[in-house]
Amino acid sequence: MSIAAVTLPSICSQIFNCAFPVRATVSTGVTNTSNLAIEGRNLSYAITAKNGKLVPILNDCSLCIPSGQLWMLLGPNGCGKSTLLKILAGLLNPTHGAVYVKRPRSFVFQNPDHQVVMPTVEADVAFGLGKFNLTHNEVKSRVTKALHAVGMSDYLQRPVQTLSGGQKQRVAIAGALAESCKVLLLDELTTFLDESDQIGVIKAVKNSLSGSEEVTALWVTHRLEELEYADGAVYMENGNVVMHGTPSSIMGFLKERISSYTNRINP
Ligand SMILES: Nc1ncnc2c1ncn2[C@@H]1O[C@H](COP(=O)(O)OP(=O)(O)OP(=O)(O)O)[C@@H](O)[C@H]1O
C-alpha cells in the first residue's frame, strides 16, 4: 500500500465521513466539531541548541483519533513519539500548529515506579480525587469502579511496593479513570514489563475504554505485536507522521518496509 493512499485527510474522511478539515481554528488550538478525542494539525516542535540554532524535532505532524478508541503511536527510536505525546498532554508547546485533546486528559509515564505514590492501592487511586470535594462514599465508588476497569479489584488494600510493574501501571491508569479522565496518553508503558504484565496492561487499557463513559487512549510503543489490540495506529519516522490508519494497513506497510530493507542488504 502506498503512503499516499492513506494520507491523513483520506483517513479522516473515511472514519468520519467528512472532509478534513471541517472546523474553525483558533490561534491557540483547534475547535473540534466531530467525534474526535485527539486532533493535531501541522504540529512542529524545535529546540534551540547551545549554538543558538533551531533543531527540528517534529515536522508538520497531523493526526486525528476518534473518541472511545485505542490507538498506537509507533516508530523507531528517536523519531519523536514521546515529544508528540507530550505536546498532546500539554507538557510541551508546539512551535507551530494546532492541537485539540478532550479534557480531562492524563499522561502515564513509562517507569512504573514513577506512577504510584501512596502506600496502598486504594489510597493511590483515591489520591487525585482530593481536588473534587467528593463525599467518602463517592470516592470509594470511583476507586472501586476504576480498579474494576483495570482488573485490580482484589488489590484494594495491597501495599503498592508489593505490586509488579504491570500492576503499578494498571493502578496508575485506574487513578486517571477515577478522575473521569477522557483521554489517556500512555508513554511506552510496557518497556520495563515482562510478557504477561505487558498483555495485562494492554487488556486493562482496552477494558477501560469499553465502559459507558467514552475514554480514548493513545499508546506509544515499539512493539509491533501490540498493534493487534489497537483500533488504529499512527506511524512516525524522523519527526514526521508517515502513515495514519488501521492496524492492518500499518502492519502491511511495515512488512513491506522490512522486506525491502532485507532485500537491499541481502540481495
Ligand atoms: N530537550 C531535548 N533536547 C535535545 N534533543 C531532544 C530533546 N527532546 C527530544 N530530543 C530529541 O528529539 C528526538 C525525538 O525524541 P523523542 O523522545 O520524542 O523520540 P521517541 O520516538 O519517543 O524515542 P524513543 O522511542 O527512543 O523513546 C530524539 O532525537 C531526541 O534526542
Side-chain angles (χ1 to χ4, degrees):
M1 180 176 298
S2 74
I3 299 173
V6 286
T7 55
L8 182 70
S10 76
I11 285 293
C12 282
S13 57
Q14 283 164 32
I15 297 172
F16 307 113
N17 195 24
C18 64
F20 178 90
V22 289
R23 56 196 72 76
T25 311
V26 292
S27 59
T28 53
V30 176
T31 305
N32 183 281
T33 59
S34 54
N35 192 27
L36 294 178
I38 297 174
E39 184 175 8
R41 211 169 336 141
N42 307 109
L43 296 170
S44 296
Y45 182 74
I47 51 155
T48 308
K50 279 191 186 140
N51 61 10
K53 282 194 176 158
L54 274 184
V55 179
I57 308 278
L58 297 180
N59 313 304
D60 206 27
C61 293
S62 294
L63 74 167
C64 56
I65 296 177
S67 291
Q69 298 195 358
L70 167 60
W71 277 56
M72 305 249 164
L73 181 53
L74 295 159
N77 284 116
C79 68
K81 303 180 295 295
S82 295
T83 304
L84 180 54
L85 200 71
K86 283 176 189 157
I87 287 174
L88 298 175
L91 300 174
L92 292 175
N93 288 319
T95 320
H96 178 81
V99 63
Y100 166 83
V101 180
K102 259 187 192 167
R103 310 291 179 91
R105 60 193 163 177
S106 190
F107 188 93
V108 181
F109 293 90
Q110 187 178 59
N111 190 334
D113 290 321
H114 295 165
Q115 302 303 313
V116 285
V117 290
M118 298 301 280
T120 65
V121 167
E122 182 177 29
D124 198 83
V125 177
F127 181 68
L129 299 179
K131 57 182 176 270
F132 293 124
N133 199 21
L134 301 171
T135 64
H136 177 74
N137 282 346
E138 283 166 337
V139 170
K140 197 115 192 139
S141 154
R142 282 194 188 208
V143 170
T144 307
K145 203 169 147 203
L147 282 172
H148 177 72
V150 299
M152 293 284 290
S153 298
D154 295 340
Y155 292 76
L156 199 66
Q157 297 306 330
R158 259 292 195 99
V160 292
Q161 74 271 18
T162 66
L163 300 175
S164 73
Q167 289 166 341
K168 284 178 188 163
Q169 298 289 29
R170 284 150 69 185
V171 169
I173 293 163
L177 296 174
E179 290 183 48
S180 302
C181 163
K182 288 277 175 282
V183 174
L184 290 167
L185 300 163
L186 309 161
D187 195 7
E188 305 211 42
L189 297 198
T190 53
T191 301
F192 297 122
L193 307 183
D194 64 24
E195 203 178 323
S196 68
D197 255 0
Q198 177 198 357
I199 301 302
V201 175
I202 299 178
K203 287 187 172 165
V205 171
K206 195 84 185 151
N207 192 47
S208 66
L209 307 191
S210 63
S212 55
E213 287 141 81
E214 246 185 14
V215 180
T216 306
L218 180 58
W219 171 284
V220 171
T221 186
H222 282 110
R223 297 183 172 181
L224 283 187
E225 72 271 18
E226 293 177 355
L227 256 182
E228 77 171 272
Y229 297 92
D231 298 302
V234 176
Y235 178 70
M236 294 181 71
E237 276 178 6
N238 298 323
N240 299 295
V241 170
V242 173
M243 197 171 164
H244 182 284
T246 61
S248 61
S249 67
I250 299 274
M251 193 57 104
F253 169 75
L254 292 176
K255 279 187 182 156
E256 226 172 74
R257 277 254 158 139
I258 292 165
S259 107
S260 84
Y261 175 74
T262 312
N263 290 341
R264 254 187 291 134
I265 59 168
N266 191 15

